[in-house]
Amino acid sequence: MRWNERLYIKDLVDKIGETHTLYGWVQFTRKSGKIRFLGFRDGSSIMQGVLVQGETDDATYEMFKDLRQETSIKMTGMVQQSKQSQYKVEMLVKEIEILGTSEQFPITPKEHGIDFLLSNRHLWLRSKKQVALFRIRSTIIQAIRDFLFENHFIQMDSPILTRSVGEDPAGLFGVDYFDMGTAYLAQTGQLYLEASIAAHANVFCFGPTFRAEKSKTRRHLTEFWMMEAEMAFFDNDDNMDFQEDLIKYVIQRVLDRGEWYLGHLERDPEVLKQVLGPFKRYSYSEAVEYLQSKGSEIKWGEDLGAPEETLLTDDSPVPAFVYDYPKEVKAFYMKENVEDPRTVKCSDLLAPEGFGEIIGGSQREDSHEKLLTRIKEMDLPVENYEWYLDLRKYGTVVHSGFGLGIERLVGWICGVPHVRETIPFPRLMERVTP
Ligand code: 4AD
Ligand code: MG
C-alpha cells in the first residue's frame, strides 16, 4: 500500500458496510456481557471498536484481555454507523494485531498534578484534551497563514542567531559564537522583516523566539512562537485595523472547523462568536483614566501589568487595543508621536477574560536621525544597528508591524489559562525537559 492509500477514521464516513484496516492506539477497553469495546485513536480522530463473540475472530476475541491503554494495534473490521463519534462511525472488529505493547501507561483518567503531567509531557500529549488543544493550535496557525497569503504577504524567515537586540537587552540568551564572542537567540524577527519590506512590501515570519525573562507567570515562556508581520505604507491605524481583521478571521475559522475540539475543552463557542463584533480602542491616557476611575493606583507613565489589562477588558467580551504608550515603557524602534512626543505610535491588543496582551505592534521610526538618537539614548551598540539604520537611508517609508504570540492566542481561544499547556514542549524558567 502506498502511504497515500492508507485510510484514517475520518475517511470512513462514506464507507459504511465495507471492511477496512486502520492503524492506531487503544485509549481504553471495556466489557459489557459478551461484548467488548475499545476506544481507538488513529491521529485523525477517535472511534469505538466493538468485538462480538461469533463475529470477531476467536483469537482476537481471546486476545482482547491483553490490550492496555496505549497498546498500538492494526485493526480490521466492518465500518458501521455510530451516534457518538466525531465522524459518526465505529468498527465491528474482525481482527486485531498488536504492534507495540504498553504496560501501565502513567497517565490514567484520574487526576494528576501539573508537575507530574509536565514531566510526562511526551505522554500527556496523547490525552483527549491535549489532542483537542493541538488540533486547534494547528488550525489557528493555518488560518493565520491563509489570511496572510490571501492578502499580498510573503513569508521571509528571520535568523535565530543575532547580534541586534530587538526588544529588551536584559532578556537575552547568549550563545558562544566561535571566536566572535557572544551571539544571542532572537527575541524577535522584526528588524529583519523591516529590511524585507522594501523588496516585498508585506512580509511575515513565524518561528520560535526567546526571552530570558525571570517571569514565572501564566503568560510567560522562555521560548515561544511568534507570528510577526511587517507592512510598508501602513500607519498604526492601518496596523490595528489589519490585526482586528486577522483575529476575527482566525476566530471564524476555529468556529467553522474546530467546534468538536472546543467541546473537548469545554469552551463555549458562543463566547467566541461575540468576538466578531468591533474591538474596543483606548489611548494609553484614556486607559489610565479609566483604570483610575475603577480604583487602580496606576499613574501616567507606568506600564500596564496583568491586573490592569484584566481590569480594562473585563466589562466586555471583545478584545481591546491600547495605543500610544509612553516612550519609556516601549522598545527603541517605535515612532515618536508628533501630537504628544512623550508617547510612541504603538498598540497592544488585549484579549478579554483576563488573557491579557496577545499582540504587540507599532509604527516604526522611519527617520534616520531620530532612530540614531534613540539607539544612542538607550545605550545600544550602534555598530550592530548600522544595517538597520541603512534602511532609513535608502527609500525609507512609513511602515508598521506587529508580533502575535501563538501560545497566548491559543490559550485565549481554547480557554486554557496557562501557556505551559498551549505549546507542545514548554520551556519555563524551571523546566527544559522533556
Ligand atoms: O510585545 P512583544 O515583545 O513585541 C515584539 O517582540 C515585537 N518585536 C513584535 C513586532 O512588532 N514585530 O511580543 C509580541 C507578543 C506579545 O504580545 C505576546 O503575545 C508574545 O509575543 N510574548 C510572549 N509569549 C509567551 N511568553 C513570553 N515570554 C512572551 N513575550 C511576548
Ligand atoms: Mg509587548
Side-chain angles (χ1 to χ4, degrees):
M1 195 199 314
R2 272 181 60 75
W3 66 270
N4 54 357
E5 287 162 3
R6 197 163 84 214
L7 289 180
Y8 292 85
I9 294 171
K10 71 173 165 49
D11 302 319
L12 301 181
V13 184
D14 57 358
K15 303 207 164 21
I16 307 297
E18 298 177 18
T19 295
H20 289 289
T21 298
L22 301 182
Y23 295 79
W25 293 263
V26 174
Q27 298 219 131
F28 62 83
T29 58
R30 184 164 64 81
K31 284 198 234 178
S32 168
K34 298 212 153 154
I35 304 185
R36 309 274 181 273
F37 298 98
L38 63 98
F40 177 77
R41 183 185 76 243
D42 80 339
S44 77
S45 189
I46 303 165
M47 71 170 186
Q48 179 170 264
V50 187
L51 288 74
V52 181
Q53 207 166 17
E55 308 230 20
T56 301
D57 283 357
D58 290 343
T60 293
Y61 191 83
E62 259 310 294
M63 191 253 280
F64 179 83
K65 62 177 186 332
D66 300 330
L67 299 178
R68 302 277 180 280
Q69 186 186 352
E70 296 305 321
T71 301
S72 50
I73 59 171
K74 176 181 174 187
M75 180 166 89
T76 304
M78 192 179 70
V79 182
Q80 305 189 134
Q81 259 165 350
S82 155
K83 285 214 179 68
Q84 294 111 350
S85 72
Q86 183 178 12
Y87 295 99
K88 307 285 171 251
V89 290
E90 62 177 24
M91 183 172 272
L92 176 60
V93 177
K94 179 121 188 60
E95 192 185 347
I96 289 175
E97 184 187 327
I98 292 182
L99 304 176
T101 58
S102 166
E103 292 301 330
Q104 292 178 347
F105 190 71
I107 299 172
T108 57
K110 72 164 203 208
E111 278 287 315
H112 296 285
I114 185 68
D115 251 354
F116 177 85
L117 290 171
L118 284 172
S119 295
N120 286 286
R121 184 60 162 167
H122 53 300
L123 305 177
W124 186 24
L125 290 176
R126 306 180 193 193
S127 303
K128 189 168 162 182
K129 180 177 164 199
Q130 297 301 313
V131 167
L133 202 45
F134 289 102
R135 285 301 160 114
I136 295 181
R137 179 178 161 121
S138 182
T139 300
I140 289 171
I141 291 170
Q142 191 184 347
I144 294 171
R145 287 187 192 279
D146 287 350
F147 184 79
L148 293 166
F149 286 133
E150 284 164 17
N151 286 287
H152 310 285
F153 277 75
I154 78 144
Q155 180 169 336
M156 284 292 276
D157 303 309
S158 58
I160 300 287
L161 291 167
T162 176
R163 276 249 162 102
S164 312
V165 179
E167 296 298 314
D168 169 20
L172 289 168
F173 284 111
V175 178
D176 286 339
Y177 200 78
F178 304 107
D179 55 359
M180 292 177 66
T182 307
Y184 301 106
L185 298 182
Q187 294 176 324
T188 170
Q190 175 194 325
L191 309 193
Y192 300 95
L193 290 183
E194 285 186 65
S196 306
I197 56 164
H200 304 286
N202 304 310
V203 293
F204 75 96
C205 62
F206 177 53
T209 39
F210 304 87
R211 305 275 167 106
E213 292 167 295
K214 297 207 161 108
S215 311
K216 290 189 182 176
T217 78
R218 61 193 180 87
R219 300 174 183 185
H220 288 90
L221 294 161
T222 55
E223 176 180 314
F224 67 96
W225 282 68
M226 181 156 55
M227 194 292 296
E228 295 182 85
E230 196 69 27
M231 296 78 73
F233 313 109
F234 269 52
D235 65 17
N236 202 47
D237 289 324
D238 298 325
N239 198 16
M240 286 191 279
D241 290 345
F242 183 77
Q243 291 165 40
E244 181 168 338
D245 291 347
L246 167 67
I247 295 295
K248 286 177 184 166
Y249 182 95
V250 170
I251 298 278
Q252 188 60 58
R253 175 70 67 85
V254 171
L255 289 168
D256 291 344
R257 302 195 188 168
E259 218 170 329
W260 174 262
Y261 295 111
L262 289 175
H264 290 187
L265 293 161
E266 292 170 28
R267 181 66 161 150
D268 183 0
E270 292 307 317
V271 175
L272 296 176
K273 282 182 195 157
Q274 294 180 340
V275 176
L276 301 171
F279 292 5
K280 296 202 165 176
R281 296 187 189 194
Y282 302 95
S283 70
Y284 168 85
S285 298
E286 286 165 354
V288 166
E289 269 177 40
Y290 176 83
L291 288 166
Q292 288 169 343
S293 78
K294 290 242 161 182
S296 161
E297 289 182 357
I298 190 168
K299 291 182 206 62
W300 200 100
E302 291 172 0
D303 204 358
L304 306 186
E308 287 79 27
E309 291 181 354
T310 304
L311 197 55
L312 261 178
T313 47
D314 67 4
D315 64 341
S316 147
V318 296
F321 285 104
V322 178
Y323 58 91
D324 294 359
Y325 279 73
K327 203 186 258 175
E328 308 312 320
V329 301
K330 289 292 178 190
F332 74 95
Y333 52 71
M334 296 186 181
K335 186 162 183 66
E336 189 181 281
N337 207 351
V338 276
E339 290 101 67
D340 180 357
R342 296 174 306 163
T343 66
V344 282
K345 287 181 160 293
C346 67
S347 51
D348 281 357
L349 180 62
L350 312 181
E353 301 171 80
F355 282 92
E357 180 194 334
I358 51 170
I359 297 183
S362 64
Q363 188 170 327
R364 321 306 192 184
E365 186 52 75
D366 47 49
S367 141
H368 186 277
E369 192 193 321
K370 286 205 159 144
L371 186 59
L372 181 58
T373 308
R374 201 70 192 126
I375 288 173
K376 287 181 178 160
E377 272 172 14
M378 309 260 295
D379 250 349
L380 294 168
V382 178
E383 65 278 14
N384 290 346
Y385 293 90
E386 292 295 356
W387 69 268
Y388 186 63
L389 284 157
D390 264 357
L391 307 175
R392 279 69 182 166
K393 280 204 242 164
Y394 304 104
T396 191
V397 294
V398 167
H399 65 290
S400 300
F402 62 91
L404 165 58
I406 295 298
E407 290 75 22
R408 293 196 193 172
L409 176 66
V410 172
W412 165 49
I413 291 178
C414 292
V416 171
H418 204 303
V419 290
R420 67 188 166 204
E421 250 189 273
T422 62
I423 186 164
F425 293 94
R427 269 65 186 114
L428 303 161
M429 258 184 86
E430 68 284 3
R431 185 175 287 281
V432 277
T433 53

